[in-house]
Amino acid sequence: MALKIYNSFTKTKQEFKPLIPGLVRMYVCGPTVYGPPHLGHARSYTDFDVVYRYFQYLGYKVKYVQNITDVGHLVGDGDDGEDKILRQAQKEQVDPYEIAYKYETIYFDAMQKLNILKPSISARATGFIPEMIDMIEKLIAKGYAYVTKNGNVYYRVHKFGSYGQLSNRKLENSLSGERIDVASDKENPEDFALWKTAEGGHIMKWKSPWGEGYPGWHIECSTLSKKFLGETFDIHGGGIDNIFPHHECECAQSEIANGKRFVNFFMHNNLVTINGTKMGKSLGNALTLEQLFNEFDPMYIRYYIIQFHYRSPMGISEDAIAKAGEQFEKIRETYNQIKELAGGKTAQIKSGEILEIFNNFIAAMDEDFNTPLAISELLKFTKFASQVVQNKDAKVASELLEAFGKISFILGLDFEDKKQKTNDNGNEEKLLAIIADVRNKLRAEKNYAASDYIRDQLATAGIVVNDKKV
Ligand SMILES: [Zn+2]
């Protein structure tokens, strides 16, 4: 069996072959770091994490690049308006770079909890402004971009004959429903910004041949993918909401600047929906991962996500996650029983039943990463494993442990017993409760010097005590 991937370019499933044998070059649009990550991020990066993991399982070397958008992404994804990061910086009254760094850190922490592997390269857009300027200059030289008297640079969309190839939009129709800014200095309303002049008060700005300004959102992905993966690479991923205009614009920029085909496969994951409508931060209905992690083991959320094929919309409810969690706990319990029975030793899979289920699992993954089908095989596997536990067959348990290990790697599901891992946290909580109790006693005796000393010592350790007024 060969791996087949649905290519959003050709709208068909195609057999995957890398351009360079043995190496997969993959780019996925990273987050705009202006707010806490939400379930939409969890879905997108879990889906592509499974892709990343499966290529590794198949023996490929994978170069996986993600960008961090820390400048140039404007509210509403358009060319006019506020920069999302600057707006948040004003709200929190801090430097915009602090906003970007803060939310980047929170993003990676959340991804780690979901057992999402870090990409090979995570590149901040602000680190590659000279490369972006270089690409914009190429587009101007080729007549595909123009500088306006205001110092803005726009891409001349009508000149790029293939515009709309990915989203199946025709330029004549693309205006319907789009907001047209009459005050714009564009030749045509569809043209998109490559470089914007920094107007008064814009803190994030760089010198350029066109004056001080900042790059448009789309140019960063064209620049960073070229920088790290070359002019043509294997896979470009993102959410379906990125197809238009973001990926369409990336194609227009890269294909003209490089004079080559941009990517072989475009992969797009579907959205998270709440009551049938899209979930997103800008729509104000996003469930943050912090909220979800307070309630659920992150592994339940990961398990819930991969129950959906990446191209299907994912509805969400707390009940549904809880139900997925129960199912996951059963798998986890069986895995730990198998591990104990096998004495932690793995053995090559030889038994017919295990081999058959495992091969079906792989066949599901080969069919455009069909994780729901793969999970149905994992459930069969768990059922078989619980019988082996009952029969206390240590030899078969070792083969099962081997298969569980492979499945755990591919799907990124951590089956290890949670209780052992959280022991330390439990002790910490108990200790803090004892300290709080001692302080309350001291305060009741009006020994404020001692109770304040404890409070201050805790504060230097990063633990804040909120005293109720006595
Ligand atoms: Zn992008």
Side-chain angles (χ1 to χ4, degrees):
M1 280 280 287
L3 172 62
K4 277 189 258 153
I5 301 179
Y6 181 87
N7 190 350
S8 308
F9 237 134
T10 57
K11 319 277 183 282
T12 54
K13 266 188 220 169
Q14 289 172 267
E15 188 180 325
F16 176 78
K17 278 207 178 87
L19 291 158
I20 299 171
L23 173 70
V24 176
R25 289 171 292 168
M26 171 167 135
Y27 185 93
V28 174
C29 293
T32 302
V33 280
Y34 73 112
H38 54 70
L39 193 58
H41 296 103
R43 175 175 203 189
S44 192
Y45 300 114
T46 297
D47 286 346
F48 285 106
D49 184 55
V50 171
V51 172
Y52 182 35
R53 286 167 174 271
Y54 193 55
F55 277 127
Q56 290 182 54
Y57 169 78
L58 293 177
Y60 288 106
K61 192 175 168 210
V62 192
K63 194 170 180 189
Y64 175 19
V65 178
Q66 247 183 42
N67 60 311
I68 295 283
T69 299
D70 54 357
V71 69
H73 195 168
L74 305 188
V75 174
D77 293 356
D79 288 336
D80 293 293
E82 287 177 288
D83 185 303
K84 291 182 175 187
I85 287 164
L86 284 180
R87 189 170 72 163
Q88 191 63 27
Q90 275 159 8
K91 237 189 232 171
E92 297 190 27
Q93 300 208 319
V94 291
D95 189 310
Y97 288 94
E98 269 183 75
I99 289 295
Y101 189 61
K102 172 181 162 181
Y103 289 111
E104 179 188 318
T105 308
I106 296 174
Y107 163 76
F108 278 117
D109 284 349
M111 296 301 112
Q112 196 185 10
K113 288 197 176 98
L114 288 163
N115 210 17
I116 290 171
L117 300 172
K118 276 202 170 173
S120 331
I121 295 173
S122 161
R124 292 182 194 134
T126 50
F128 301 88
I129 305 289
E131 286 87 344
M132 293 183 207
I133 291 174
D134 190 54
M135 189 177 267
I136 297 169
E137 282 189 309
K138 279 200 178 78
L139 293 171
I140 295 172
K142 290 186 176 182
Y144 281 79
Y146 57 94
V147 189
T148 71
K149 62 176 184 341
N150 302 345
N152 295 321
V153 186
Y154 294 107
Y155 191 99
R156 201 169 261 136
V157 163
H158 282 262
K159 202 171 160 128
F160 182 62
S162 315
Y163 196 79
Q165 60 186 344
L166 192 61
S167 57
N168 270 346
R169 286 196 186 208
K170 291 205 169 61
L171 266 179
E172 309 87 73
N173 306 333
S174 69
L175 282 181
S176 54
E178 304 286 326
R179 187 169 53 91
I180 303 167
D181 191 344
V182 278
S184 170
D185 53 347
K186 294 174 182 179
E187 284 176 6
N188 276 296
E190 298 90 343
D191 294 350
F192 62 88
L194 298 166
W195 188 265
K196 292 276 287 183
T197 278
E199 279 144 9
H202 213 284
I203 305 167
M204 296 176 111
K205 58 186 174 188
W206 292 262
K207 286 196 176 81
S208 82
W210 323 288
E212 278 198 332
Y214 58 95
W217 172 38
H218 314 301
I219 194 72
E220 67 176 88
C221 289
S222 284
T223 304
L224 292 171
S225 59
K226 179 184 179 178
K227 169 116 191 147
F228 297 115
L229 299 174
E231 292 176 332
T232 308
F233 54 96
D234 299 297
I235 294 174
H236 190 318
I240 53 167
D241 50 341
N242 279 334
I243 295 178
F244 185 87
H246 187 50
H247 290 167
E248 204 72 80
C249 296
E250 282 185 38
C251 288
Q253 295 164 156
S254 294
E255 293 197 2
I256 294 304
N258 305 331
K260 280 186 189 153
R261 182 181 179 156
F262 181 33
V263 277
N264 251 3
F265 284 81
F266 257 106
M267 286 180 71
H268 291 104
N269 69 276
N270 214 312
L271 305 174
V272 179
T273 55
I274 291 184
N275 301 326
T277 54
K278 183 197 165 186
M279 193 197 79
K281 180 172 158 62
S282 46
L283 302 169
N285 63 352
L287 277 170
T288 69
L289 292 176
E290 195 191 351
Q291 286 170 322
L292 287 166
F293 292 164
N294 280 337
E295 240 176 293
F296 301 106
D297 180 336
M299 268 311 104
Y300 296 179
I301 295 164
R302 184 172 179 116
Y303 182 72
Y304 182 75
I305 290 170
I306 57 178
Q307 284 184 331
F308 294 82
H309 186 243
Y310 75 92
R311 286 195 289 118
S312 305
M314 184 180 108
I316 185 88
S317 73
E318 297 208 344
D319 283 354
I321 298 180
K323 224 170 168 185
E326 276 170 33
Q327 203 174 68
F328 183 73
E329 278 306 331
K330 265 187 207 139
I331 303 171
R332 183 179 258 164
E333 191 189 337
T334 311
Y335 164 82
N336 283 290
Q337 287 167 338
I338 285 289
K339 192 179 166 189
E340 204 184 319
L341 183 59
K345 275 188 219 131
T346 56
Q348 203 194 340
I349 306 170
K350 283 181 186 151
S351 310
E353 286 130 310
I354 304 176
L355 211 53
E356 193 191 327
I357 299 172
F358 188 72
N359 286 343
N360 287 341
F361 173 90
I362 293 297
M365 292 302 294
D366 274 341
E367 197 58 40
D368 193 28
F369 309 96
N370 193 334
T371 51
L373 200 58
I375 283 182
S376 70
E377 297 302 327
L378 170 61
L379 291 174
K380 278 186 209 163
F381 203 63
T382 307
K383 209 171 159 192
F384 178 76
S386 53
Q387 283 163 13
V388 172
V389 170
Q390 272 178 11
N391 301 338
K392 296 195 168 54
D393 189 338
K395 198 182 147 288
V396 180
S398 294
E399 292 181 35
L400 278 169
L401 193 61
E402 168 79 5
F404 263 121
K406 285 179 173 167
I407 292 172
S408 161
F409 175 77
I410 293 168
L411 297 180
L413 295 172
D414 182 0
F415 299 132
E416 293 298 329
D417 208 338
K418 222 39 215 158
K419 285 168 211 126
Q420 285 171 10
K421 281 192 190 171
T422 51
N423 249 351
D424 290 347
N425 289 339
N427 282 340
E428 198 178 302
E429 266 172 38
K430 275 180 216 154
L431 273 173
L432 284 173
I434 293 168
I435 294 170
D437 191 42
V438 170
R439 274 197 78 237
N440 286 338
K441 284 209 167 73
L442 289 169
R443 277 155 55 84
E445 290 162 12
K446 297 200 172 0
N447 189 348
Y448 295 117
S451 76
D452 287 354
Y453 176 76
I454 296 174
R455 183 197 59 205
D456 296 345
Q457 290 298 306
L458 286 171
T460 54
I463 300 161
V464 180
V465 180
N466 290 317
D467 284 327
K468 290 193 191 90
K469 286 211 172 89
V470 201

